[in-house]
Structures are given as structure tokens and as C-alpha cells.
Amino acid sequence: MKEKIDSIVTSLNDKIHPDLTLNDLEALRVEYLGKNGILTSQMSLIRTLPNEEKPKFGQWINDAKLSIEHVITEQKNILLTKAMNEQLKKETLDVTMPGLNFKKGSLHPLTLVTQDLEDYFIGLGYKVAEGPELELDKYNFEMMNLASDHPAREMHDSFYVTQNTLLRTHTSPIQARYMEKSKGQPIAIIAPGKTYRRDPDDRTHSHQFMQCEGLVIDKNVTFAHLKETLLGMARHIFGEERTIRLRPSYFPFTEPSVEVDVSYVDSDGKTEWIEVLGAGMVHPNVLTMGGYDPKVYRGFAFGIGLERIAILKYKIDDIRQFYTNDLRFLNQFKGVL
Ligand code: PHE
């Protein structure tokens, strides 16, 4: 019986040769292993055998089946690999064919301004910091020297979510968080991000806008450093011919405080000034609350309105254009910067 089965396997092996096609191999598979195949038909003999010989017989048939399958599959694989290699040899890639035309997007003007500022300040060794938009009163106001009864809170008409949480009204709370985290170590950061105030939405106001905060704390920081830093920034963004003018101002978190104007030449050739940001020396109370001894450490801070920079730089006449995703507007910034 075993000889019979072995001879079936041998007869298949004799039929295998390199000229067989895939179809020939499939026909062989059916001839041996199909429903009425040569090997399959041997299976019916099992009924005629005594019980004790059945398992052994079953095992022989199974081994033979595996061996036949193996031989046929191996030969099929050789053919497939050969066919694939021939196909690859025939196919060449025409690199001169025109490619698919994907529409290119553009960076949003506020992203362009943010990246430009980051470029300048990272070049000076600053780090870029982030903070949450839903902020605690403690960081947004208190640690910025705006206690709960401070009248200047009025200027920041706020969206409160609970008694103690609000949408941040400026990026200054990122300063407070960073000071707390830095545990008395020197700091040089900028912090761009979204801010919110209960302003009406019109050509020049928006309830949501963007700021970029700057904070430097170290032992020998002076007002001269602040001035030079802002002058460099104005020139980086608007051009080397620009200069800046500082006017005394008031912020609860800085003392002294200034508003900073950047020069431009009007159509008559006259030098004019545009206000672009607020800045000052970090108030001793803010330093103390942030964990810095004001007798040892000093700092300067500034807050820039990013829309304002973009409006001046790209001559935009309506702040709402930043937020309405009109492609006719956005497409103008393709390839800028
Ligand atoms: N946080 C201020 C504002 O939103 C801007 C500012 C920041 C002014 C830092 C001075 C120093 O009005």
C-alpha cells in the first residue's frame, strides 16, 4: 500500500519540469489532489482496511498530499518570480512624463508672522513657550499684578467660564507659568498664542486675536536691552531702514512701561509712526510672585499683537479677513517669506 502511494508521489515528481506553465501546474494539482484526483481516490480504500491500519494509512496519504502540494507550489513560485523579473526588465519609468498636479496651499499670514518672530528670537537664544487658552484667574491676572479689585481688569473684558477660569485675555499668563516652573533660573522666552476679549467684531476688533509675549529675566537685564531687542525685531520684520520710538505708558505688570511705535515713510516722504506693541521692565511684584528676588533679578517683557504686525506688513484693511478662510485672500500669501 505504501509503495502505491510512494509511486504516486514519484509519478508526479517525474512530470515536473521547467517548461510547464502555471496552467499545466494547476492541471497537475487537480489531477492528483482534486476531488477525483489520483491521490484523493486512494482515500476511499481506507474503508477496506482493518481499524488498526487506518491511522497509519491516513498518515501516508497526508504526507503524500503535503509533498505533492509542496512540489507544485515550489514550481509555481519559480515561474512567478521568473515572470515578475521579466516584467520588471520590460517596464521602464519615463521620468519625463508630466506629474500629477496637486494644488499647493499657503501658510496663513498669522502663521507667517509667528514663524518670522520665532526665527528672530530663536536666533537670539530664546525658547518658544506655550500655555493653555483656558486659563486660571491666578495666572491671567493675579500673578500679573492685577488683583481681583484692580481697575485695569476693566480693560480686559473677559470671557469667564467659571469664577476662577477664563479664556486668557493676553499671553502674559504664559510668563507667570514659566516663571513658576523655572524656579529662579534665568529666562528668555517668547510665547505666541490665541487670546480672547469681549470686544465687538468689526474691521479693527475681534473677540479672538493673537499675541506674542516676550520675557527675559536675568541678573543684569536693563531697559537698554529691551530697546535694542525691540529695534532688532522691528528691523527684522519691517526692514533695516526702520527705527522705533518709545512712549511712556502704563501696564500693571511692568514698571516703567512703554508703548512702542515703528517708523515708516509716508507718500510725501515724511517720517510717521505706528504703534505696534507694549513693553516694560517686569514689575517687582510680578518677579516676587513668580519666585524671583527683585533685588537680585530684573526682567523685561513685551506683548505684540500679531494681527497688527500682519496688517502693517501685508497692508490688510480688515481684521476679519484673517478668520474667514476666504481662499481669494489666503492664496495671496503663496510663497511669501
Ligand atoms: N499683556 C499686555 C496686553 O495684552 C501686553 C504687554 C505684555 C505689555 C508684556 C507689556 C509687557 O495688553
Side-chain angles (χ1 to χ4, degrees):
M1 195 95 51
K2 172 97 164 74
E3 288 80 59
K4 172 82 184 139
I5 295 172
D6 284 347
S7 74
I8 292 177
V9 175
T10 318
S11 75
L12 172 86
N13 285 341
D14 290 345
K15 287 185 192 164
I16 297 284
H17 60 84
D19 292 341
L20 294 181
T21 64
L22 280 175
N23 283 343
D24 297 336
L25 288 167
E26 180 56 18
L28 276 178
R29 198 188 62 77
V30 174
E31 185 184 334
Y32 279 80
L33 304 177
K35 239 196 227 150
N36 303 312
I38 302 174
L39 187 69
T40 322
S41 55
Q42 294 294 308
M43 272 301 278
S44 55
L45 294 179
I46 204 161
R47 271 184 277 121
T48 65
L49 295 175
N51 272 350
E52 61 276 18
E53 284 184 24
K54 280 182 184 167
K56 212 195 287 162
F57 181 76
Q59 183 68 48
W60 291 337
I61 294 277
N62 231 354
D63 288 349
K65 188 175 162 216
L66 287 178
S67 154
I68 290 172
E69 265 171 1
H70 177 75
V71 170
I72 293 178
T73 317
E74 203 165 59
Q75 193 58 29
K76 272 189 182 170
N77 283 343
I78 292 173
L79 284 187
L80 286 172
T81 312
K82 216 168 100 192
M84 191 175 73
N85 283 339
E86 270 162 23
Q87 182 78 8
L88 283 176
K89 241 187 251 164
K90 264 191 276 164
E91 276 176 12
T92 50
L93 190 63
D94 184 356
V95 289
T96 62
M97 294 250 291
L100 292 176
N101 192 9
F102 292 111
K103 275 198 180 154
K104 259 204 214 145
S106 55
L107 290 177
H108 192 280
L110 294 175
T111 306
L112 291 171
V113 169
T114 308
Q115 289 184 349
D116 201 12
L117 279 171
E118 286 176 354
D119 244 24
Y120 172 69
F121 282 105
I122 288 171
L124 291 181
Y126 285 57
K127 295 220 158 61
V128 179
E130 285 183 336
E133 288 174 36
L134 189 60
E135 189 50 283
L136 294 171
D137 188 281
K138 171 184 157 193
Y139 294 110
N140 195 80
F141 288 134
E142 259 162 64
M143 284 182 73
M144 285 294 111
N145 205 25
L146 280 141
S148 60
D149 55 355
H150 199 295
R153 281 198 181 204
E154 193 62 22
M155 292 180 340
H156 292 227
D157 269 337
S158 320
F159 292 111
Y160 273 91
V161 177
T162 68
Q163 184 94 19
N164 281 325
T165 44
L166 69 158
L167 291 171
R168 67 181 176 205
T169 58
H170 49 176
T171 39
S172 302
I174 303 175
Q175 288 190 27
R177 285 177 176 274
Y178 209 88
M179 277 189 249
E180 203 176 63
K181 207 173 73 181
S182 301
K183 306 228 179 310
Q185 291 304 305
I187 292 177
I189 54 158
I190 55 160
K194 287 185 197 143
T195 50
Y196 303 82
R197 290 189 198 177
R198 269 194 302 118
D199 276 338
D201 288 293
D202 59 28
R203 280 167 71 90
T204 51
H205 295 87
S206 165
H207 67 279
Q208 184 229 289
F209 53 101
M210 288 191 77
Q211 285 191 342
C212 180
E213 197 77 6
L215 173 69
V216 172
I217 298 180
D218 212 329
K219 286 191 176 144
N220 299 311
V221 174
T222 69
F223 201 91
H225 293 130
L226 170 62
K227 200 175 154 197
E228 190 61 19
T229 305
L230 296 178
L231 177 63
M233 182 195 75
R235 290 188 170 163
H236 175 81
I237 293 177
F238 296 111
E240 283 303 315
E241 72 288 359
R242 303 297 184 117
T243 181
I244 58 171
R245 177 174 85 172
L246 308 185
R247 281 178 292 107
S249 183
Y250 171 77
F251 298 104
F253 23 86
T254 45
E255 182 58 38
S257 303
V258 286
E259 258 158 43
V260 181
D261 300 338
V262 173
S263 68
Y264 71 98
V265 178
D266 73 6
S267 48
D268 300 332
K270 230 177 93 210
T271 298
E272 295 287 352
W273 302 91
I274 310 175
E275 182 196 326
V276 293
L277 62 103
M281 299 305 289
V282 180
H283 195 290
N285 289 352
V286 174
L287 285 172
T288 308
M289 283 186 276
Y292 290 79
D293 180 353
K295 293 211 180 67
V296 182
Y297 280 96
R298 304 208 246 152
F300 65 73
F302 51 91
I304 311 163
L306 294 185
E307 279 82 352
R308 191 150 180 80
I309 300 280
I311 283 172
L312 296 174
K313 184 160 178 179
Y314 302 122
K315 301 189 172 52
I316 293 161
D317 58 3
D318 189 334
I319 197 171
R320 287 168 295 195
Q321 292 197 291
F322 291 122
Y323 318 117
T324 40
N325 284 338
D326 184 337
L327 286 177
R328 288 167 304 179
F329 172 71
L330 295 174
N331 279 337
Q332 297 176 64
F333 296 92
K334 267 187 194 163
V336 174
L337 201 82

